[in-house]
């Protein structure tokens, strides 16, 4: 079974550039989450969607960050313009909301380095 | 202010012995708790969970205990195996795992053979 697929796995770019991270959730899952992991703050939720609709974006750090989910099988997290402090590992997770307390399943992350 | 705390950054255990990982939380509204395991360069993998209406949940070698009055949970691994060496994250949510998960900063477990 295919898990959550994230691309790219690694991204190195210069500050000021636009960065787009991509996520394909597990087929049939209807909730999608974006997390960021840093040494200082650990794993923190940025935004999550239910049935393609953004539910809570209070974790999005600034207006430079935006996320979309145009359909049930694809989501993007965009940073424009990027800054060195955005360097982190970004994880996408998905979950099915039926059948009781189903856990969130994570992708392997995108390691982002902004120079 | 951290709502979920894992106060031990690391733990070393010998193969075959018990590993006990601890987690404390401050938000009394949390009603669902999970443990995830993470290997380097991989995403967190779900391990086991517990609802606040229970005080124990067991799955094979893994048992999670919840003490609501102390706002404390622990993960027991018995017997520990070298393949268990990983970072373990405690997470909590209000209203099931479908809402935002609040993670602790993790405990690195090393199991030596």
């Amino acid at each position: 079974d295919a898990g959550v697929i994230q691309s790219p796995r690694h991204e190195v770019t210069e500050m000021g550039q636009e960065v787009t991270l991509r996520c394909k959730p597990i087929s049939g899952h209807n909730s999608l989450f974006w997390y960021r992991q840093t040494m200082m703050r650990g794993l923190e939720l940025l935004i999550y969607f239910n049935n393609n609709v953004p539910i809570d974006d209070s974790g999005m750090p600034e207006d430079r960050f935006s996320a979309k989910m145009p359909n049930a099988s694809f989501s993007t997290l965009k940073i424009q313009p990027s800054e060195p402090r955005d360097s982190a590992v970004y994880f996408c997770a998905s979950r099915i909301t039926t059948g009781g307390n189903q856990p969130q399943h994570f992708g392997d992350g995108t390691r982002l380095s902004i120079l | 202010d951290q709502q979920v705390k894992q106060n031990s950054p690391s733990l070393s255990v010998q193969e075959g012995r018990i590993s006990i990982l601890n987690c404390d939380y401050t938000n009394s509204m949390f009603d669902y708790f999970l443990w995830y395991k993470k290997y380097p360069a991989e995403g967190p993998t779900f391990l086991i969970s517990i609802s606040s209406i229970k005080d124990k949940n067991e799955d094979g070698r893994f048992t999670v205990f919840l003490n609501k009055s102390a706002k404390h949970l622990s993960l027991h691994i018995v017997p520990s195996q070298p393949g268990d060496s990983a970072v373990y994250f405690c997470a909590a949510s209000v209203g099931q795992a479908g809402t935002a998960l609040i993670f602790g900063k993790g405990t690195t477990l090393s199991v030596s053979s």
Side-chain angles (χ1 to χ4, degrees):
Chain A
D1 288 348
V4 176
I5 299 173
Q6 292 186 245
S7 65
R9 289 298 312 275
H10 303 273
E11 175 89 13
V12 180
T13 191
E14 293 187 344
M15 69 177 291
Q17 297 297 307
E18 178 179 294
V19 172
T20 300
L21 310 182
R22 296 172 175 80
C23 176
K24 178 179 169 54
I26 293 172
S27 177
H29 283 195
N30 56 342
S31 283
L32 184 139
F33 306 79
W34 283 101
Y35 290 87
R36 178 171 69 174
Q37 184 183 28
T38 60
M39 288 293 292
M40 287 294 294
R41 299 175 67 89
L43 259 170
E44 52 182 352
L45 179 74
L46 300 177
I47 185 172
Y48 79 93
F49 298 82
N50 276 352
N51 298 314
N52 313 339
V53 177
I55 301 300
D56 183 358
D57 66 354
S58 59
M60 296 285 263
E62 299 170 33
D63 290 346
R64 298 184 297 106
F65 285 69
S66 62
K68 293 183 179 179
M69 192 163 187
N71 57 61
S73 58
F74 183 66
S75 177
T76 59
L77 177 67
K78 188 173 292 188
I79 309 172
Q80 166 63 17
S82 57
E83 296 182 3
R85 59 191 167 126
D86 302 331
S87 298
V89 181
Y90 291 80
F91 290 102
C92 176
S94 72
R95 172 184 183 262
I96 189 167
T97 57
T98 55
N101 279 335
Q102 299 299 320
Q104 297 177 25
H105 297 267
F106 283 76
D108 284 339
T110 295
R111 181 172 293 277
L112 178 63
S113 297
I114 309 297
L115 306 177
Chain B
D1 187 28
Q2 272 189 279
Q3 296 187 66
V4 177
K5 298 179 184 179
Q6 293 178 255
N7 292 319
S8 297
S10 62
L11 175 67
S12 294
V13 172
Q14 282 195 319
E15 182 178 9
R17 308 293 284 265
I18 184 171
S19 295
I20 300 176
L21 297 102
N22 294 303
C23 179
D24 296 298
Y25 61 95
T26 57
N27 188 343
S28 58
M29 297 295 291
F30 287 145
D31 57 4
Y32 193 65
F33 304 89
L34 307 91
W35 285 94
Y36 281 81
K37 178 171 75 172
K38 185 183 182 303
Y39 294 118
E42 294 184 9
T45 302
F46 171 71
L47 202 53
I48 192 169
S49 62
I50 188 166
S51 166
S52 60
I53 62 173
K54 295 185 176 182
D55 54 19
K56 177 183 174 181
N57 188 25
E58 195 171 350
D59 184 2
R61 296 186 297 115
F62 303 91
T63 303
V64 56
F65 296 92
L66 175 63
N67 182 333
K68 287 189 294 294
S69 61
K71 294 191 177 70
H72 177 84
L73 64 155
S74 60
L75 174 68
H76 292 210
I77 307 173
V78 183
S80 302
Q81 299 173 354
D84 296 330
S85 298
V87 179
Y88 289 78
F89 291 96
C90 171
S93 71
V94 176
Q96 303 183 13
T99 58
L101 287 180
I102 308 299
F103 282 87
K105 290 196 172 180
T107 296
T108 300
L109 173 65
S110 299
V111 181
S112 56
S113 54

